[in-house]
Amino acid sequence: MLQTPMADHAAPAVALAVRDLAVQFRSEQGVVRALDGVSFDLHAGRTLGIVGESGCGKSVTARSILRLIDHPGIITGGRMVLDPSTPREIDLASLDPESRQMREVRGGRIGLIFQEPMTALSVHYTVGNQLIEAVRQHHSVSVAEARNRATELLRDVGIPRPETRIDAYPFELSGGLRQRVGIAMALAGDPDIVIADEPTTALDVTTQAQILSLLRGLQEAKNISLMLITHDMGVIAEMADEVTVMYLGRVVEVAPVRQLFAAPRHPYTRALLRAVPSILARPRQRLSTIGGAVPHPGSRPFGCSFHPRCAERVGAVCMERIPDPVPPGQAGASCFRTEVPA
Amino acid sequence: MLIYILRRLGFAFITCIFISVLTFAIIRLPPGDFVDAYIANLAASGSSISIDQAEAMRRAYGLDQSIFVQYWSWMVRVLQGDFGVSMMWRRPVTEVIGDRLWLTMVVSLAALFLTWIIALPIGIYSAVRQYSIGDYIFTMLGFIGLAIPNFLLALILMYFGFRYLGLNVGGLFSAEYVQAPWSLGRAWDLAKHLPLPAAVLAIAGTAQLIRIMRANLLDELRKPYVVTARAKGLTERRAILKYPVRAALNPFASSVAYLFPYLVSGSIIVSLVLGLPTVGPLLLQALVAQDMFLAGAIVMMLGVMTVVGTLISDLLLMWIDPRIRLEGR
Ligand SMILES: Nc1ncnc2c1ncn2[C@@H]1O[C@H](COP(=O)(O)OP(=O)(O)OP(=O)(O)O)[C@@H](O)[C@H]1O
Ligand code: SF4
Ligand SMILES: [Mg+2]
């Protein structure tokens, strides 16, 4: 298999290592393997982009890390190690989701930013109420002190007049401001890891750009390890240091961002890149979308899951065997094309 | 917010006017007028009055005037607390009704609170533990509660209470307090008699409210803000009680409006069975005897109470939901 080191210079420490994560949703209709052996490393202070079409398991991955997958989803295997190879290392998969330890991780170590800034905040409480609650959950401070911190957080995320906005209800704010509140909420417990699940998908283009630059600024200022989930290759190009490409609950390619755009190795990545209407596309080039619909994870195609839509099949092997997964901690693709013939 | 309140008050006022017109129509419903009825009534008991006397009475009550004038003067008297004279009892209507109106309120409110107290925790439990054994049991009990007519339930409870617990069931007061003036002892006696009728009345409404609460909460539990609350590190209990439960509370506020008339009308039969001194049995007697001043007064009072209930429910909704509260801010 073709492999290259993740980065040329000294690689930063790994903040979160996910290995062989498997998640199933069991119902009367059958078992849906939403995640089927997902592995990746999130490096400290870096941005890991996770990209893939709708339904490939990006949100399930994010929720699994916080142990918040909806019933009837269960983690059936794998590890999610926080601070691996340090004395502090803990495997989140081994914790009880309701344990104090897990709740300290939520918001305290790992903050979560949501896609829908309207529905992710409760309309029944003021911004301040929800934010102060998040601050006090992880810092033993008085209400007054928590309120000061909450105001500062709102200022940090670029909300004008935070002293008055803190008493507003979410429905009194614009979508962009609401998403800023959502970011403030994720940061309230001073987490060192932030997972942003399509943080700009629901916003208009101008606001999108502002929120992305805010995220980048905050990441630098607070040295945050950012896991950025998106289905937009443009966002990946702009934000990510490393990229994990997912397809039907599996990781199909891992690469540093430059390498991914310059020399994508997996046919699925190439197809995604062709579909981007971006500066990368040559003028008047016809936009290509990937042919065929994403199969449901419940009816995963035999062999390489991508084979029904793959334009670059190497032969019968694609229909018969599953290509090896990308080796953990390394760049590579899970595809027979990239496997060196023995 | 002010606009909201004013609008609600306006609606309440208009509804009250409609109720009064309806009441007036009820009073005027029987053929002939009140004096004819009065004469017939006297004749039945063997006495009579002269035609002159009858005419004088008609003038005194303004029955020779146009219908609008009659309505107006009736309204003026009603607003002064004068609902006329009950033919059946030959006493002012207000005197006949006496405590009964307040006792009706007390029984209905007790039933309403009981409904809430039972429906809230069970509704939450059934939604959070959807399809658990407990959920199924409560669902089944709820349907049984909905299906049994409450007078039957009253009879059953009375039978068992009397037969096996030796309770003095029925009524709202023990014998020694029935005629007594209000005192702490009488109030305590009332409190002791309340649970049975309140429970009987509450059963069906409770079953209904549990279903609504469960469905609403199931909806809310799926919303992203619940994940946000969990992702902050809140305990499951706190995350659920503070956010989705709060959002699912709206039907509780609305229940004041729709359960109240239901409880009041439901209380008529239950009151008959349990021998409660509420307005229910009185209304029934008044209707049978065509005692229209009494019937009208009761209908009107219940109608106005219902309007007040609706108003309270609107204010509760406003208190629960900041979107309504801040309308037009
Ligand atoms: N609550 C659930 N019940 C059953 N299956 C689920 C549930 N949540 C997710 N899944 C399954 O997991 C798969 C992955 O879902 P996920 O939400 O992670 O996709 P995604 O990559 O985030 O897509 P999107 O871009 O639309 O957000 C879905 O296709 C679905 O089959
Ligand atoms: S393994 Fe075969 S089918 Fe799958 S992506 Fe590679 S070439 Fe295409
Ligand atoms: Mg998603």
Side-chain angles (χ1 to χ4, degrees):
Chain A
M1 178 163 303
L2 207 75
Q3 293 166 6
T4 47
M6 210 53 202
D8 319 324
H9 49 89
V14 173
L16 173 72
V18 173
R19 290 291 175 271
D20 305 318
L21 181 61
V23 171
Q24 298 183 351
F25 288 89
R26 290 180 185 164
S27 69
E28 280 146 27
Q29 286 84 43
V31 175
V32 172
R33 293 206 231 166
L35 297 186
D36 195 23
V38 167
S39 305
F40 56 82
D41 286 338
L42 174 62
H43 290 101
R46 299 281 197 96
T47 298
L48 171 68
I50 300 209
V51 67
E53 285 167 295
S54 188
C56 67
K58 306 182 296 291
S59 297
V60 170
T61 306
R63 298 257 198 116
S64 302
I65 293 169
L66 287 171
R67 303 300 306 278
L68 288 175
I69 30 179
D70 291 327
H71 183 82
I74 40 168
I75 296 178
T76 51
R79 296 184 305 140
M80 299 174 283
V81 187
L82 212 48
D83 309 316
S85 321
T86 68
R88 293 190 300 164
E89 94 167 25
I90 26 170
D91 177 10
L92 299 178
S94 70
L95 295 183
D96 171 4
E98 268 297 286
S99 64
R100 161 172 286 271
Q101 220 180 349
M102 195 59 233
R103 287 193 292 105
E104 275 163 7
V105 169
R106 290 184 199 133
R109 288 296 315 275
I110 307 178
L112 190 56
I113 300 171
F114 294 87
Q115 172 174 347
E116 276 288 333
M118 184 66 229
T119 49
L121 297 168
S122 163
V123 295
H124 287 95
Y125 300 92
T126 59
V127 165
N129 178 313
Q130 300 179 57
L131 203 48
I132 288 167
E133 175 183 56
V135 170
R136 297 194 75 199
Q137 186 68 27
H138 297 284
H139 305 283
S140 38
V141 292
S142 69
V143 176
E145 171 60 22
R147 192 182 159 89
N148 286 340
R149 288 206 194 189
T151 316
E152 279 318 302
L153 278 166
L154 291 178
R155 200 188 310 281
D156 288 349
V157 297
I159 289 186
R161 292 184 290 112
E163 311 79 18
T164 51
R165 287 277 166 60
I166 192 170
D167 292 317
Y169 284 88
F171 56 85
E172 298 180 285
L173 304 178
S174 68
L177 284 189
R178 250 179 260 149
Q179 190 54 302
R180 286 174 195 265
V181 173
I183 295 173
M185 196 100 96
L187 297 177
D190 284 328
D192 54 305
I193 297 173
V194 168
I195 302 177
D197 190 352
E198 315 217 17
T200 58
T201 308
L203 305 172
D204 65 75
V205 185
T206 330
T207 321
Q208 258 184 35
Q210 288 168 357
I211 294 291
L212 287 180
S213 84
L214 169 68
L215 277 177
R216 218 178 3 234
L218 287 169
Q219 179 189 29
E220 270 164 34
K222 303 187 187 238
N223 194 32
I224 285 168
S225 322
L226 180 63
M227 186 172 139
L228 181 66
I229 294 174
T230 177
H231 55 244
D232 184 343
M233 275 293 187
V235 172
I236 292 286
E238 199 172 327
M239 300 285 293
D241 299 309
E242 287 125 30
V243 187
T244 293
V245 183
M246 287 181 68
Y247 186 75
L248 272 188
R250 291 193 186 132
V251 172
V252 293
E253 178 162 3
V254 175
V257 68
R258 280 171 191 283
Q259 185 183 322
L260 188 90
F261 280 87
R265 275 185 272 200
H266 198 282
Y268 178 61
T269 314
R270 282 196 278 272
L272 279 180
L273 285 173
R274 275 195 301 273
V276 184
S278 72
I279 35 165
L280 298 170
R282 266 172 261 116
R284 268 175 285 121
Q285 182 187 13
R286 196 178 146 272
L287 275 182
S288 85
T289 48
I290 306 178
V294 194
H296 190 265
S299 53
R300 184 191 303 282
F302 207 73
C304 168
S305 344
F306 187 57
H307 86 251
R309 303 168 74 195
C310 183
E312 309 172 34
R313 280 194 296 262
V314 284
V317 67
C318 293
M319 277 84 106
E320 286 159 5
R321 283 176 39 223
I322 302 175
D324 288 338
V326 183
Q330 292 179 340
S334 168
C335 170
F336 291 118
R337 284 197 148 264
T338 61
E339 283 185 17
V340 187
Chain B
M1 173 161 87
L2 205 63
I3 296 174
Y4 176 82
I5 295 180
L6 286 179
R7 199 162 54 211
R8 293 291 134 182
L9 280 174
F11 280 134
F13 181 71
I14 293 170
T15 317
C16 283
I17 299 225
F18 271 116
I19 292 173
S20 73
V21 170
L22 201 70
T23 309
F24 187 65
I26 291 177
I27 292 172
R28 303 273 320 200
L29 208 53
D33 57 25
F34 160 69
V35 177
D36 291 330
Y38 186 67
I39 293 169
N41 211 306
L42 284 182
S45 59
S47 53
S48 64
I49 56 173
S50 71
I51 295 180
D52 281 353
Q53 273 176 304
E55 280 311 310
M57 250 182 107
R58 284 209 166 84
R59 262 195 307 282
Y61 282 98
L63 294 181
D64 50 348
Q65 311 262 307
S66 82
I67 191 105
F68 299 104
V69 175
Q70 284 185 42
Y71 169 74
W72 179 249
S73 56
W74 174 77
M75 262 315 283
V76 169
R77 270 180 283 133
V78 162
L79 287 179
Q80 288 161 353
D82 174 8
F83 283 89
V85 174
S86 159
M87 275 172 290
M88 200 169 38
W89 305 78
R90 306 264 176 86
R91 292 212 325 255
V93 164
T94 38
E95 217 173 278
V96 174
I97 294 179
D99 271 350
R100 283 173 176 261
L101 190 65
W102 302 118
L103 290 174
T104 309
M105 292 288 104
V106 168
V107 172
S108 302
L109 282 180
L112 187 62
F113 280 121
L114 202 64
T115 303
W116 282 355
I117 290 170
I118 302 173
L120 185 63
I122 295 184
I124 294 174
Y125 174 87
S126 289
V128 174
R129 300 255 177 280
Q130 190 189 12
Y131 302 139
S132 67
I133 296 177
D135 179 27
Y136 282 123
I137 291 177
F138 284 129
T139 303
M140 205 178 66
L141 286 179
F143 281 126
I144 294 175
L146 269 179
I148 298 183
N150 51 18
F151 70 89
L152 194 65
L153 198 70
L155 284 172
I156 296 172
L157 284 181
M158 263 172 94
Y159 175 77
F160 282 103
F162 182 71
R163 182 82 205 275
Y164 295 105
L165 302 173
L167 291 178
N168 177 15
V169 289
L172 280 178
F173 298 102
S174 312
E176 66 265 36
Y177 283 112
V178 172
Q179 299 294 342
W182 278 106
S183 64
L184 230 60
R186 191 172 192 243
W188 175 236
D189 190 53
L190 173 64
K192 279 193 299 192
H193 279 78
L194 262 184
L196 182 72
V200 170
L201 277 176
I203 293 282
T206 305
Q208 227 175 330
L209 202 53
I210 288 175
R211 298 312 293 169
I212 299 175
M213 180 70 191
R214 179 177 180 275
N216 275 20
L217 191 52
L218 280 175
D219 263 3
E220 295 296 331
L221 282 172
R222 278 191 272 270
K223 302 221 168 130
Y225 67 80
V226 187
V227 186
T228 308
R230 293 188 183 122
K232 281 181 199 175
L234 300 184
T235 58
E236 187 69 8
R237 169 183 289 264
R238 187 168 159 75
I240 287 180
L241 287 184
K242 177 169 177 183
Y243 293 99
V245 167
R246 166 75 181 260
L249 273 185
N250 285 19
F252 276 76
S254 328
S255 68
V256 184
Y258 80 88
L259 276 184
F260 201 69
Y262 165 81
L263 289 174
V264 170
S265 60
S267 77
I268 294 180
I269 294 179
V270 172
S271 294
L272 277 175
V273 172
L274 288 177
L276 307 181
T278 64
V279 290
L282 200 59
L283 177 60
L284 204 62
Q285 289 170 12
L287 287 173
V288 170
Q290 293 205 3
D291 187 348
M292 285 316 175
F293 274 104
L294 184 55
I298 295 176
V299 166
M300 177 142 176
M301 285 172 181
L302 294 183
V304 171
M305 297 268 175
T306 308
V307 171
V308 171
T310 312
L311 202 62
I312 292 175
S313 134
D314 284 336
L315 294 181
L316 277 178
L317 266 181
M318 194 179 87
W319 178 62
I320 290 179
D321 195 335
R323 278 166 302 184
I324 301 176
R325 194 159 68 229
L326 300 182
E327 206 175 304
R329 173 159 119 176

